[in-house]
Amino acid sequence: MTSPLAPGPAPDRDEPLDPERLESLRPGLELLALRALGDRELAREATQEAIARAVAAGARGTRIAAGRLAAFVAGIARHVVADLRRSRARTPTVDLDTLPLPSSGPDPLEQLVDRSQADEVRRALDRLPSADRELLRLCFYEGLTPGEIAAHLNEPAERIRKRKSRALERLRAAFGDTPGHAAPGGPTEGAEEG
Amino acid sequence: MTDLMTHTDVEARGLIERYVARRLLGEELERFEAHLIECPACQGDVRLGVAVAAMFRTRRRPRWHLPALAGLATAAGLLLFLRPSADRRMVALGAVGDPPAYEVVEVRGDELQRGDSLFLAAIQAYRRREWEAAAQGFEEARTAGLTAPALEFFAGATALMRGRTETADRAFAALLATDHGPYAEEARYYQAKARLRLGDGRGALSLLRASSFPAAAPLADSIEALLSR
């Protein structure tokens, strides 16, 4: 028995697995895959497979609630990455003398930063006041939240956020990449919907 | 079920910073990644954050003036000629295959304190070798007020397994400074592993000679053999 007041299926609130929309997620998916796999070629392979699986799901008629598409595709990507890691783990090569220690290796995502960008960031960091450099170290190297840093430095969290924002703006200008979050506060999932 | 992530969330919770430093875990990580793949601004900030973190990673290595460097290079070349790859072998001795095991301790009483529950959850993650989840769990247990040698020991062991060698070194040193209980001998052994990774063979040797942990003596012998070459 269905109540006439109960909400029925609302196809207009679903989001189709449109190939063009999926393609727009490719750079972000590659970033995720590279972080997990550490190898650019493998990351591209994983991304291609994730998009192909999502397209196939769309062809089978799978529909995703509005705003959930990115989460759905990211979930597929995680499965693909897990499969690839498992298949790689089946052929282990362990040699104590050549075993890289985790602390000695760079972050796989450093492959996304080219030499000139790294040099610009280094110069911009050197131009910052030492207190701001320390703040960025606590942020990106230690991974502390603004609240944790505020407690650590015994300063109000709001002041920490402002200092961090200002320092990052200078680095963004040097990095020559995307402009960052110019208008914080708006929801981003589904932001590309018409 | 609406869980739209806003840029205010990203800012306020330090999500990009924690993502770059690999301190973002579980559901929070999944939600952020769902946001990240469709947000070019966050992707740019992640790349920027990675570049910043890389600078600090690089800067931890000491810098030398050129004349001093030339002299040192000559001396180092001579040493390497006499003792090929000794340092590398020393560092390799710091490798840890299996993490120290957690022996189940029966908890008396029906009610676990919140810190105990968080600790046991972290131990489950530790046993599954989910190091980041374990590290966060131990930190939460500490924040909840739990103080116990086991907590400090396994937090140190987790840092060691994550490759956070200096953190591990500090954690074991702090434990040894205050505790002489059941974890002390093993803590000396694993702090020695950390010292080896940091290239401090003599420091490691001193810790191992003071430890009655069964694996300590053979490791100390290996270090002595390398030091005497």
Side-chain angles (χ1 to χ4, degrees):
Chain A
M1 190 171 68
T2 306
S3 162
L5 297 177
D12 58 318
R13 294 184 58 204
D14 285 351
E15 196 169 359
L17 286 161
D18 168 43
E20 201 173 318
R21 168 95 168 90
L22 291 169
E23 195 56 41
S24 73
L25 304 178
R26 185 180 290 274
L29 286 169
E30 278 192 14
L31 191 152
L32 254 63
L34 178 61
R35 183 174 185 265
L37 294 166
D39 180 290
R40 272 192 113 159
E41 204 48 50
L42 216 51
R44 285 197 192 103
E45 192 183 315
T47 300
Q48 185 55 40
E49 176 64 19
I51 291 177
R53 287 189 195 181
V55 169
R60 287 195 303 272
T62 303
R63 294 185 69 82
I64 308 299
R68 302 292 306 164
L69 187 139
F72 176 75
V73 180
I76 293 178
R78 266 190 289 276
H79 280 114
V80 172
V81 163
D83 289 347
L84 278 170
R85 290 174 86 156
R86 266 195 292 273
S87 69
R88 281 203 305 176
R90 286 193 198 110
T91 53
T93 52
V94 178
D95 173 359
L96 191 63
D97 271 355
T98 56
L99 195 67
L101 296 173
S103 57
S104 64
D107 189 304
L109 292 181
E110 285 179 33
Q111 296 170 62
L112 297 176
V113 180
D114 66 40
R115 183 70 177 267
S116 66
Q117 284 178 315
D119 287 344
E120 289 299 332
V121 167
R122 181 184 296 111
R123 279 193 281 273
L125 269 177
D126 285 340
R127 285 195 296 270
L128 289 178
S130 61
D132 286 353
R133 268 202 305 277
E134 173 62 6
L135 175 60
L136 292 180
R137 190 188 73 79
L138 294 172
C139 285
F140 292 107
Y141 187 70
E142 301 290 348
L144 302 184
T145 65
E148 287 169 327
I149 295 172
H152 180 75
L153 299 178
N154 201 22
E155 283 189 39
E158 191 50 37
R159 190 186 300 165
I160 294 294
R161 267 191 281 276
K162 281 182 182 163
R163 275 179 51 201
K164 189 190 87 179
S165 247
R166 212 169 39 234
L168 272 180
E169 272 314 311
R170 292 188 193 174
L171 292 192
R172 280 193 196 107
F175 197 57
D177 208 343
T178 48
H181 301 129
T188 58
E189 285 195 23
E192 291 173 22
E193 292 169 19
Chain B
M1 187 177 61
T2 305
D3 53 357
L4 297 181
M5 181 166 280
T6 69
H7 287 144
T8 303
D9 295 331
V10 174
E11 283 276 318
R13 284 149 57 191
L15 298 181
I16 289 173
E17 296 90 316
R18 288 159 63 206
Y19 187 70
V20 167
R22 294 183 178 262
R23 283 193 64 197
L24 205 54
L25 304 163
E27 194 184 331
E28 199 174 20
L29 172 65
E30 290 183 9
R31 286 191 58 214
F32 176 68
E33 287 192 329
H35 166 86
L36 180 65
I37 66 169
E38 62 176 358
C39 179
C42 278
Q43 290 166 28
D45 276 356
V46 165
R47 279 194 294 272
L48 176 59
V50 166
V52 171
M55 292 301 130
F56 289 114
R57 221 186 323 275
T58 310
R59 285 172 186 209
R60 288 172 64 212
R61 297 172 199 138
R63 291 175 169 184
W64 303 93
H65 292 297
L66 277 178
L69 193 63
L72 279 173
T74 309
L78 191 61
L79 276 175
L80 284 173
F81 178 73
L82 295 172
R83 297 196 316 172
S85 72
D87 287 347
R88 196 157 163 269
R89 285 172 183 275
M90 194 71 82
V91 172
L93 287 175
V96 178
D98 291 318
Y102 175 73
E103 306 294 336
V104 178
V105 177
E106 196 176 333
V107 179
R108 281 174 294 179
D110 295 332
E111 287 189 14
L112 284 175
Q113 298 293 318
R114 178 172 153 71
D116 296 327
S117 304
L118 289 167
F119 173 74
L120 290 175
I123 282 290
Q124 295 305 320
Y126 176 89
R127 283 177 161 164
R128 291 192 300 270
R129 295 178 175 237
E130 294 169 2
W131 308 125
E132 292 184 32
Q136 182 163 314
F138 290 132
E139 190 53 44
E140 285 170 356
R142 192 178 288 126
T143 306
L146 182 65
T147 55
L151 170 62
E152 301 310 326
F153 177 78
F154 286 101
T158 302
L160 200 58
M161 301 311 291
R162 291 172 81 202
R164 305 289 171 99
T165 307
E166 290 177 353
T167 305
D169 182 39
R170 281 196 300 271
F172 291 128
L175 173 63
L176 288 167
T178 57
D179 181 67
H180 305 283
Y183 288 98
E185 303 308 321
E186 209 169 346
R188 283 191 188 92
Y189 173 78
Y190 284 104
Q191 192 190 358
K193 286 280 189 180
R195 298 303 320 169
L196 284 167
R197 288 188 189 183
L198 294 168
D200 178 14
R202 293 192 184 281
L205 188 59
S206 158
L207 284 158
L208 291 166
R209 288 298 182 215
S211 171
S212 61
F213 189 63
L219 181 57
D221 292 344
S222 301
I223 295 171
E224 275 191 339
L226 278 179
L227 287 172
S228 64
R229 280 185 196 176

mmCIF file of all heavy atoms in Angstrom, chain A residues 140-180:
data_model
loop_
_atom_site.group_PDB
_atom_site.id
_atom_site.type_symbol
_atom_site.label_atom_id
_atom_site.label_comp_id
_atom_site.label_asym_id
_atom_site.label_seq_id
_atom_site.Cartn_x
_atom_site.Cartn_y
_atom_site.Cartn_z
ATOM 1 N N PHE A 140 50.861 21.913 6.087
ATOM 2 C CA PHE A 140 51.011 20.954 4.988
ATOM 3 C C PHE A 140 52.006 19.836 5.279
ATOM 4 O O PHE A 140 51.915 18.772 4.674
ATOM 5 C CB PHE A 140 51.429 21.689 3.709
ATOM 6 C CG PHE A 140 50.343 22.561 3.179
ATOM 7 C CD1 PHE A 140 50.424 23.928 3.290
ATOM 8 C CD2 PHE A 140 49.213 22.011 2.603
ATOM 9 C CE1 PHE A 140 49.414 24.742 2.821
ATOM 10 C CE2 PHE A 140 48.193 22.815 2.127
ATOM 11 C CZ PHE A 140 48.289 24.191 2.240
ATOM 12 N N TYR A 141 52.940 20.093 6.160
ATOM 13 C CA TYR A 141 53.919 19.041 6.462
ATOM 14 C C TYR A 141 53.460 18.202 7.648
ATOM 15 O O TYR A 141 53.516 16.985 7.612
ATOM 16 C CB TYR A 141 55.289 19.676 6.740
ATOM 17 C CG TYR A 141 56.379 18.657 6.900
ATOM 18 C CD1 TYR A 141 56.828 17.920 5.807
ATOM 19 C CD2 TYR A 141 56.941 18.408 8.149
ATOM 20 C CE1 TYR A 141 57.806 16.966 5.956
ATOM 21 C CE2 TYR A 141 57.932 17.457 8.295
ATOM 22 C CZ TYR A 141 58.360 16.740 7.197
ATOM 23 O OH TYR A 141 59.330 15.790 7.346
ATOM 24 N N GLU A 142 52.950 18.888 8.681
ATOM 25 C CA GLU A 142 52.471 18.149 9.855
ATOM 26 C C GLU A 142 50.994 17.780 9.725
ATOM 27 O O GLU A 142 50.527 16.900 10.431
ATOM 28 C CB GLU A 142 52.675 18.986 11.134
ATOM 29 C CG GLU A 142 54.124 19.384 11.405
ATOM 30 C CD GLU A 142 55.007 18.216 11.813
ATOM 31 O OE1 GLU A 142 54.464 17.146 12.116
ATOM 32 O OE2 GLU A 142 56.237 18.364 11.806
ATOM 33 N N GLY A 143 50.264 18.485 8.847
ATOM 34 C CA GLY A 143 48.855 18.151 8.645
ATOM 35 C C GLY A 143 47.954 18.541 9.801
ATOM 36 O O GLY A 143 46.965 17.864 10.084
ATOM 37 N N LEU A 144 48.280 19.627 10.486
ATOM 38 C CA LEU A 144 47.452 20.058 11.621
ATOM 39 C C LEU A 144 46.283 20.912 11.129
ATOM 40 O O LEU A 144 46.407 21.661 10.152
ATOM 41 C CB LEU A 144 48.288 20.862 12.622
ATOM 42 C CG LEU A 144 49.500 20.163 13.220
ATOM 43 C CD1 LEU A 144 50.155 21.060 14.275
ATOM 44 C CD2 LEU A 144 49.132 18.833 13.850
ATOM 45 N N THR A 145 45.157 20.817 11.814
ATOM 46 C CA THR A 145 44.000 21.647 11.479
ATOM 47 C C THR A 145 44.241 23.061 12.028
ATOM 48 O O THR A 145 45.069 23.240 12.934
ATOM 49 C CB THR A 145 42.719 21.090 12.119
ATOM 50 O OG1 THR A 145 42.874 21.184 13.540
ATOM 51 C CG2 THR A 145 42.478 19.648 11.738
ATOM 52 N N PRO A 146 43.498 24.054 11.506
ATOM 53 C CA PRO A 146 43.661 25.407 12.055
ATOM 54 C C PRO A 146 43.455 25.444 13.566
ATOM 55 O O PRO A 146 44.167 26.160 14.282
ATOM 56 C CB PRO A 146 42.579 26.211 11.324
ATOM 57 C CG PRO A 146 42.373 25.473 10.043
ATOM 58 C CD PRO A 146 42.586 24.023 10.357
ATOM 59 N N GLY A 147 42.501 24.659 14.065
ATOM 60 C CA GLY A 147 42.251 24.626 15.510
ATOM 61 C C GLY A 147 43.453 24.089 16.276
ATOM 62 O O GLY A 147 43.835 24.614 17.327
ATOM 63 N N GLU A 148 44.048 23.023 15.732
ATOM 64 C CA GLU A 148 45.211 22.422 16.398
ATOM 65 C C GLU A 148 46.391 23.402 16.391
ATOM 66 O O GLU A 148 47.131 23.518 17.370
ATOM 67 C CB GLU A 148 45.616 21.127 15.682
ATOM 68 C CG GLU A 148 44.659 19.970 15.926
ATOM 69 C CD GLU A 148 44.923 18.773 15.018
ATOM 70 O OE1 GLU A 148 45.353 18.968 13.852
ATOM 71 O OE2 GLU A 148 44.675 17.647 15.457
ATOM 72 N N ILE A 149 46.532 24.113 15.257
ATOM 73 C CA ILE A 149 47.646 25.075 15.170
ATOM 74 C C ILE A 149 47.414 26.222 16.145
ATOM 75 O O ILE A 149 48.354 26.687 16.809
ATOM 76 C CB ILE A 149 47.784 25.607 13.728
ATOM 77 C CG1 ILE A 149 48.171 24.453 12.796
ATOM 78 C CG2 ILE A 149 48.834 26.713 13.648
ATOM 79 C CD1 ILE A 149 48.154 24.818 11.341
ATOM 80 N N ALA A 150 46.159 26.651 16.238
ATOM 81 C CA ALA A 150 45.836 27.739 17.163
ATOM 82 C C ALA A 150 46.222 27.339 18.589
ATOM 83 O O ALA A 150 46.822 28.129 19.334
ATOM 84 C CB ALA A 150 44.351 28.073 17.077
ATOM 85 N N ALA A 151 45.894 26.091 18.938
ATOM 86 C CA ALA A 151 46.233 25.619 20.285
ATOM 87 C C ALA A 151 47.755 25.538 20.441
ATOM 88 O O ALA A 151 48.317 25.906 21.473
ATOM 89 C CB ALA A 151 45.594 24.257 20.536
ATOM 90 N N HIS A 152 48.408 25.068 19.389
ATOM 91 C CA HIS A 152 49.865 24.881 19.423
ATOM 92 C C HIS A 152 50.589 26.223 19.569
ATOM 93 O O HIS A 152 51.573 26.338 20.305
ATOM 94 C CB HIS A 152 50.285 24.183 18.129
ATOM 95 C CG HIS A 152 51.747 23.914 18.005
ATOM 96 N ND1 HIS A 152 52.373 22.904 18.707
ATOM 97 C CD2 HIS A 152 52.713 24.514 17.270
ATOM 98 C CE1 HIS A 152 53.657 22.909 18.402
ATOM 99 N NE2 HIS A 152 53.897 23.871 17.534
ATOM 100 N N LEU A 153 50.085 27.240 18.835
ATOM 101 C CA LEU A 153 50.766 28.538 18.851
ATOM 102 C C LEU A 153 50.168 29.505 19.867
ATOM 103 O O LEU A 153 50.622 30.645 19.980
ATOM 104 C CB LEU A 153 50.714 29.181 17.449
ATOM 105 C CG LEU A 153 51.396 28.409 16.314
ATOM 106 C CD1 LEU A 153 51.229 29.146 14.995
ATOM 107 C CD2 LEU A 153 52.876 28.207 16.610
ATOM 108 N N ASN A 154 49.111 29.035 20.532
ATOM 109 C CA ASN A 154 48.450 29.867 21.531
ATOM 110 C C ASN A 154 47.956 31.186 20.927
ATOM 111 O O ASN A 154 48.198 32.262 21.469
ATOM 112 C CB ASN A 154 49.400 30.121 22.709
ATOM 113 C CG ASN A 154 48.636 30.517 23.957
ATOM 114 O OD1 ASN A 154 47.434 30.214 24.060
ATOM 115 N ND2 ASN A 154 49.287 31.204 24.878
ATOM 116 N N GLU A 155 47.303 31.073 19.791
ATOM 117 C CA GLU A 155 46.722 32.244 19.112
ATOM 118 C C GLU A 155 45.269 31.927 18.773
ATOM 119 O O GLU A 155 44.914 30.762 18.622
ATOM 120 C CB GLU A 155 47.469 32.521 17.790
ATOM 121 C CG GLU A 155 48.805 33.200 17.951
ATOM 122 C CD GLU A 155 49.364 33.619 16.592
ATOM 123 O OE1 GLU A 155 48.581 34.073 15.739
ATOM 124 O OE2 GLU A 155 50.570 33.462 16.400
ATOM 125 N N PRO A 156 44.422 32.933 18.615
ATOM 126 C CA PRO A 156 43.032 32.659 18.236
ATOM 127 C C PRO A 156 42.963 31.975 16.868
ATOM 128 O O PRO A 156 43.746 32.324 15.966
ATOM 129 C CB PRO A 156 42.393 34.053 18.169
ATOM 130 C CG PRO A 156 43.317 34.951 18.909
ATOM 131 C CD PRO A 156 44.681 34.361 18.822
ATOM 132 N N ALA A 157 42.035 31.031 16.733
ATOM 133 C CA ALA A 157 41.927 30.267 15.486
ATOM 134 C C ALA A 157 41.651 31.185 14.298
ATOM 135 O O ALA A 157 42.144 30.949 13.190
ATOM 136 C CB ALA A 157 40.827 29.216 15.622
ATOM 137 N N GLU A 158 40.856 32.228 14.526
ATOM 138 C CA GLU A 158 40.508 33.120 13.432
ATOM 139 C C GLU A 158 41.755 33.819 12.874
ATOM 140 O O GLU A 158 41.911 33.975 11.665
ATOM 141 C CB GLU A 158 39.470 34.152 13.914
ATOM 142 C CG GLU A 158 38.839 34.979 12.816
ATOM 143 C CD GLU A 158 38.297 34.130 11.655
ATOM 144 O OE1 GLU A 158 37.760 33.023 11.892
ATOM 145 O OE2 GLU A 158 38.445 34.571 10.496
ATOM 146 N N ARG A 159 42.639 34.212 13.779
ATOM 147 C CA ARG A 159 43.867 34.877 13.334
ATOM 148 C C ARG A 159 44.737 33.895 12.524
ATOM 149 O O ARG A 159 45.338 34.259 11.524
ATOM 150 C CB ARG A 159 44.654 35.405 14.542
ATOM 151 C CG ARG A 159 45.807 36.325 14.104
ATOM 152 C CD ARG A 159 46.685 36.746 15.260
ATOM 153 N NE ARG A 159 45.968 37.474 16.290
ATOM 154 C CZ ARG A 159 46.426 37.700 17.525
ATOM 155 N NH1 ARG A 159 47.616 37.223 17.859
ATOM 156 N NH2 ARG A 159 45.716 38.343 18.413
ATOM 157 N N ILE A 160 44.766 32.658 12.984
ATOM 158 C CA ILE A 160 45.536 31.630 12.255
ATOM 159 C C ILE A 160 44.978 31.468 10.849
ATOM 160 O O ILE A 160 45.715 31.410 9.858
ATOM 161 C CB ILE A 160 45.454 30.274 13.020
ATOM 162 C CG1 ILE A 160 46.169 30.369 14.360
ATOM 163 C CG2 ILE A 160 46.012 29.142 12.177
ATOM 164 C CD1 ILE A 160 47.657 30.569 14.264
ATOM 165 N N ARG A 161 43.631 31.406 10.755
ATOM 166 C CA ARG A 161 43.005 31.222 9.439
ATOM 167 C C ARG A 161 43.349 32.379 8.512
ATOM 168 O O ARG A 161 43.658 32.187 7.338
ATOM 169 C CB ARG A 161 41.485 31.092 9.592
ATOM 170 C CG ARG A 161 41.041 29.644 9.704
ATOM 171 C CD ARG A 161 39.535 29.526 9.591
ATOM 172 N NE ARG A 161 38.874 29.880 10.835
ATOM 173 C CZ ARG A 161 38.706 29.027 11.843
ATOM 174 N NH1 ARG A 161 39.121 27.794 11.743
ATOM 175 N NH2 ARG A 161 38.112 29.404 12.957
ATOM 176 N N LYS A 162 43.305 33.591 9.041
ATOM 177 C CA LYS A 162 43.604 34.764 8.201
ATOM 178 C C LYS A 162 45.067 34.744 7.745
ATOM 179 O O LYS A 162 45.368 35.025 6.590
ATOM 180 C CB LYS A 162 43.303 36.057 8.969
ATOM 181 C CG LYS A 162 41.819 36.380 8.992
ATOM 182 C CD LYS A 162 41.559 37.678 9.714
ATOM 183 C CE LYS A 162 40.055 37.952 9.754
ATOM 184 N NZ LYS A 162 39.703 38.951 10.751
ATOM 185 N N ARG A 163 45.956 34.443 8.677
ATOM 186 C CA ARG A 163 47.381 34.402 8.323
ATOM 187 C C ARG A 163 47.628 33.346 7.266
ATOM 188 O O ARG A 163 48.372 33.541 6.306
ATOM 189 C CB ARG A 163 48.216 34.081 9.571
ATOM 190 C CG ARG A 163 48.558 35.326 10.401
ATOM 191 C CD ARG A 163 49.371 34.958 11.628
ATOM 192 N NE ARG A 163 50.525 34.128 11.307
ATOM 193 C CZ ARG A 163 51.157 33.344 12.182
ATOM 194 N NH1 ARG A 163 50.739 33.286 13.433
ATOM 195 N NH2 ARG A 163 52.181 32.631 11.821
ATOM 196 N N LYS A 164 46.993 32.203 7.446
ATOM 197 C CA LYS A 164 47.190 31.114 6.488
ATOM 198 C C LYS A 164 46.666 31.517 5.113
ATOM 199 O O LYS A 164 47.315 31.296 4.089
ATOM 200 C CB LYS A 164 46.459 29.852 6.977
ATOM 201 C CG LYS A 164 46.793 28.628 6.146
ATOM 202 C CD LYS A 164 45.903 27.475 6.478
ATOM 203 C CE LYS A 164 44.646 27.542 5.648
ATOM 204 N NZ LYS A 164 43.715 26.469 5.863
ATOM 205 N N SER A 165 45.483 32.134 5.113
ATOM 206 C CA SER A 165 44.871 32.578 3.860
ATOM 207 C C SER A 165 45.790 33.533 3.107
ATOM 208 O O SER A 165 45.999 33.416 1.899
ATOM 209 C CB SER A 165 43.594 33.338 4.184
ATOM 210 O OG SER A 165 42.517 32.651 3.749
ATOM 211 N N ARG A 166 46.335 34.479 3.863
ATOM 212 C CA ARG A 166 47.197 35.496 3.257
ATOM 213 C C ARG A 166 48.471 34.844 2.689
ATOM 214 O O ARG A 166 48.878 35.117 1.563
ATOM 215 C CB ARG A 166 47.558 36.533 4.316
ATOM 216 C CG ARG A 166 47.748 37.940 3.766
ATOM 217 C CD ARG A 166 47.833 38.991 4.854
ATOM 218 N NE ARG A 166 48.572 38.568 6.027
ATOM 219 C CZ ARG A 166 48.097 38.602 7.275
ATOM 220 N NH1 ARG A 166 46.891 39.046 7.512
ATOM 221 N NH2 ARG A 166 48.830 38.200 8.289
ATOM 222 N N ALA A 167 49.064 33.970 3.467
ATOM 223 C CA ALA A 167 50.300 33.307 3.016
ATOM 224 C C ALA A 167 50.021 32.458 1.783
ATOM 225 O O ALA A 167 50.800 32.444 0.829
ATOM 226 C CB ALA A 167 50.865 32.451 4.145
ATOM 227 N N LEU A 168 48.889 31.781 1.795
ATOM 228 C CA LEU A 168 48.565 30.917 0.648
ATOM 229 C C LEU A 168 48.321 31.727 -0.610
ATOM 230 O O LEU A 168 48.678 31.300 -1.712
ATOM 231 C CB LEU A 168 47.321 30.073 0.971
ATOM 232 C CG LEU A 168 47.594 28.749 1.680
ATOM 233 C CD1 LEU A 168 46.291 28.013 1.934
ATOM 234 C CD2 LEU A 168 48.532 27.871 0.858
ATOM 235 N N GLU A 169 47.687 32.883 -0.447
ATOM 236 C CA GLU A 169 47.443 33.725 -1.621
ATOM 237 C C GLU A 169 48.760 34.089 -2.301
ATOM 238 O O GLU A 169 48.872 34.061 -3.522
ATOM 239 C CB GLU A 169 46.704 35.005 -1.216
ATOM 240 C CG GLU A 169 45.197 34.864 -1.202
ATOM 241 C CD GLU A 169 44.645 34.162 -2.435
ATOM 242 O OE1 GLU A 169 45.023 34.532 -3.561
ATOM 243 O OE2 GLU A 169 43.861 33.206 -2.279
ATOM 244 N N ARG A 170 49.773 34.409 -1.496
ATOM 245 C CA ARG A 170 51.087 34.754 -2.076
ATOM 246 C C ARG A 170 51.681 33.554 -2.799
ATOM 247 O O ARG A 170 52.267 33.686 -3.869
ATOM 248 C CB ARG A 170 52.044 35.201 -0.975
ATOM 249 C CG ARG A 170 51.649 36.518 -0.353
ATOM 250 C CD ARG A 170 52.759 36.975 0.569
ATOM 251 N NE ARG A 170 52.305 38.066 1.419
ATOM 252 C CZ ARG A 170 53.031 38.582 2.393
ATOM 253 N NH1 ARG A 170 54.234 38.114 2.640
ATOM 254 N NH2 ARG A 170 52.571 39.566 3.113
ATOM 255 N N LEU A 171 51.526 32.386 -2.201
ATOM 256 C CA LEU A 171 52.089 31.197 -2.841
ATOM 257 C C LEU A 171 51.324 30.842 -4.112
ATOM 258 O O LEU A 171 51.917 30.430 -5.108
ATOM 259 C CB LEU A 171 52.066 30.009 -1.883
ATOM 260 C CG LEU A 171 52.976 30.077 -0.675
ATOM 261 C CD1 LEU A 171 53.055 28.729 0.014
ATOM 262 C CD2 LEU A 171 54.384 30.484 -1.076
ATOM 263 N N ARG A 172 50.006 31.021 -4.080
ATOM 264 C CA ARG A 172 49.212 30.715 -5.274
ATOM 265 C C ARG A 172 49.662 31.581 -6.440
ATOM 266 O O ARG A 172 49.774 31.112 -7.566
ATOM 267 C CB ARG A 172 47.731 30.956 -5.004
ATOM 268 C CG ARG A 172 47.055 29.843 -4.246
ATOM 269 C CD ARG A 172 45.545 29.989 -4.282
ATOM 270 N NE ARG A 172 44.932 29.164 -3.257
ATOM 271 C CZ ARG A 172 44.391 29.638 -2.141
ATOM 272 N NH1 ARG A 172 44.348 30.944 -1.920
ATOM 273 N NH2 ARG A 172 43.858 28.819 -1.267
ATOM 274 N N ALA A 173 49.921 32.846 -6.136
ATOM 275 C CA ALA A 173 50.365 33.755 -7.193
ATOM 276 C C ALA A 173 51.680 33.254 -7.784
ATOM 277 O O ALA A 173 51.893 33.287 -9.000
ATOM 278 C CB ALA A 173 50.547 35.153 -6.624
ATOM 279 N N ALA A 174 52.562 32.740 -6.920
ATOM 280 C CA ALA A 174 53.841 32.232 -7.401
ATOM 281 C C ALA A 174 53.676 30.915 -8.145
ATOM 282 O O ALA A 174 54.375 30.637 -9.109
ATOM 283 C CB ALA A 174 54.789 32.036 -6.221
ATOM 284 N N PHE A 175 52.735 30.109 -7.687
ATOM 285 C CA PHE A 175 52.537 28.768 -8.226
ATOM 286 C C PHE A 175 51.942 28.838 -9.634
ATOM 287 O O PHE A 175 52.138 27.945 -10.449
ATOM 288 C CB PHE A 175 51.612 27.995 -7.283
ATOM 289 C CG PHE A 175 51.634 26.508 -7.470
ATOM 290 C CD1 PHE A 175 52.821 25.795 -7.370
ATOM 291 C CD2 PHE A 175 50.466 25.807 -7.713
ATOM 292 C CE1 PHE A 175 52.842 24.417 -7.515
ATOM 293 C CE2 PHE A 175 50.470 24.433 -7.858
ATOM 294 C CZ PHE A 175 51.667 23.735 -7.757
ATOM 295 N N GLY A 176 51.199 29.931 -9.891
ATOM 296 C CA GLY A 176 50.628 30.111 -11.223
ATOM 297 C C GLY A 176 49.612 29.060 -11.581
ATOM 298 O O GLY A 176 49.530 28.632 -12.722
ATOM 299 N N ASP A 177 48.857 28.594 -10.591
ATOM 300 C CA ASP A 177 47.858 27.565 -10.867
ATOM 301 C C ASP A 177 46.469 28.173 -10.686
ATOM 302 O O ASP A 177 46.281 29.358 -10.847
ATOM 303 C CB ASP A 177 48.094 26.388 -9.913
ATOM 304 C CG ASP A 177 47.616 25.083 -10.512
ATOM 305 O OD1 ASP A 177 46.837 25.139 -11.469
ATOM 306 O OD2 ASP A 177 48.019 24.029 -10.030
ATOM 307 N N THR A 178 45.523 27.362 -10.292
ATOM 308 C CA THR A 178 44.151 27.825 -10.123
ATOM 309 C C THR A 178 44.069 28.872 -9.016
ATOM 310 O O THR A 178 44.903 28.909 -8.118
ATOM 311 C CB THR A 178 43.238 26.647 -9.758
ATOM 312 O OG1 THR A 178 43.867 25.945 -8.721
ATOM 313 C CG2 THR A 178 43.009 25.778 -10.956
ATOM 314 N N PRO A 179 43.072 29.749 -9.051
ATOM 315 C CA PRO A 179 43.047 30.858 -8.106
ATOM 316 C C PRO A 179 42.611 30.500 -6.700
ATOM 317 O O PRO A 179 42.532 31.375 -5.858
ATOM 318 C CB PRO A 179 42.022 31.806 -8.747
ATOM 319 C CG PRO A 179 41.124 30.924 -9.533
ATOM 320 C CD PRO A 179 41.984 29.792 -10.023
ATOM 321 N N GLY A 180 42.328 29.271 -6.401
ATOM 322 C CA GLY A 180 41.883 28.924 -5.050
ATOM 323 C C GLY A 180 40.414 29.250 -4.867
ATOM 324 O O GLY A 180 39.710 29.510 -5.832
#
